[in-house]
């Protein structure tokens, strides 16, 4: 397994251990993680702290070229909000752990020139399937249903 996807999975597992939703993300530039995060909506009573948004927050202010040269890894297909941030900051490549439990805005990203690779990682799928089975109401809240 790619060490960066493993780092995103580690973040997802942290979120689950904290009582939150198991979605994690890392942003990689020049072979190094510059931002990592996990879904913290429950933990922080936040409306926007999805895994990707948390990773952006933790990466902090970066020159535009850094984000343009970066790759974002996420355990789950990015929703409309997170895809908007990916487009806003010009991330050129997104590696998605899985899109079986939730199909985000992959086509939007592709239509705007972002390379989106989906690996259908069994750990990512398992984390989400188990979480959705145990806490469907929390999952539905997270995706706005």
């Amino acid at each position: 397994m790619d060490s960066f996807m493993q780092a995103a999975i580690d973040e997802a597992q942290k979120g689950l251990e904290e009582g939150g939703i198991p979605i994690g993300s890392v942003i990689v530039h020049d072979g190094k993680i510059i931002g990592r995060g996990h879904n913290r909506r429950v933990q922080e009573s936040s409306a926007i702290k999805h895994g990707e948004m948390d990773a952006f927050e933790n990466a902090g202010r970066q020159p535009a070229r850094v984000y343009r040269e970066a790759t974002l890894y996420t355990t789950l297909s990015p929703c409309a909000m997170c895809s908007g941030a990916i487009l806003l900051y010009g991330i050129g490549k997104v590696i998605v752990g899985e899109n079986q439990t939730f199909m985000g805005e992959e086509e939007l990203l592709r239509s705007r020139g972002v390379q989106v690779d989906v690996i259908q990682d069994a750990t990512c799928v398992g984390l989400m399937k188990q979480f959705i089975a145990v806490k469907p109401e929390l999952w539905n809240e997270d995706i706005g249903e």
Side-chain angles (χ1 to χ4, degrees), residues 15-125:
L16 186 61
E17 290 166 7
E18 294 170 357
I21 299 167
I23 303 168
S25 183
V26 296
I27 301 170
V28 177
H29 178 261
D30 217 13
K32 296 177 186 165
I33 295 174
I34 62 168
R36 61 177 61 230
H38 53 273
N39 187 303
R40 295 179 194 260
R41 289 188 66 251
V42 173
Q43 301 90 312
E44 296 183 10
S45 292
S46 171
I48 62 169
K49 278 283 186 96
H50 283 191
E52 299 91 337
M53 301 300 280
D54 194 37
F56 275 116
E57 179 72 14
N58 291 324
R61 292 177 60 202
Q62 299 289 332
R65 73 161 181 80
V66 170
Y67 282 124
R68 281 194 307 269
E69 296 168 357
T71 299
L72 184 140
Y73 289 75
T74 181
T75 59
L76 185 65
S77 186
C79 72
M81 175 178 64
C82 296
S83 293
I86 289 165
L87 293 173
L88 178 66
Y89 289 103
I91 299 287
K93 184 175 183 180
V94 177
I95 309 295
V96 176
E98 67 103 348
N99 63 7
Q100 293 176 21
T101 60
F102 177 79
M103 174 59 76
E105 298 296 328
E106 294 173 22
E107 288 309 312
L108 170 64
L109 293 171
R110 288 184 181 109
S111 76
R112 299 282 297 273
V114 178
Q115 179 183 336
V116 179
D117 297 338
V118 182
I119 61 173
Q120 302 300 8
D121 178 79
T123 301
C124 295
V125 173

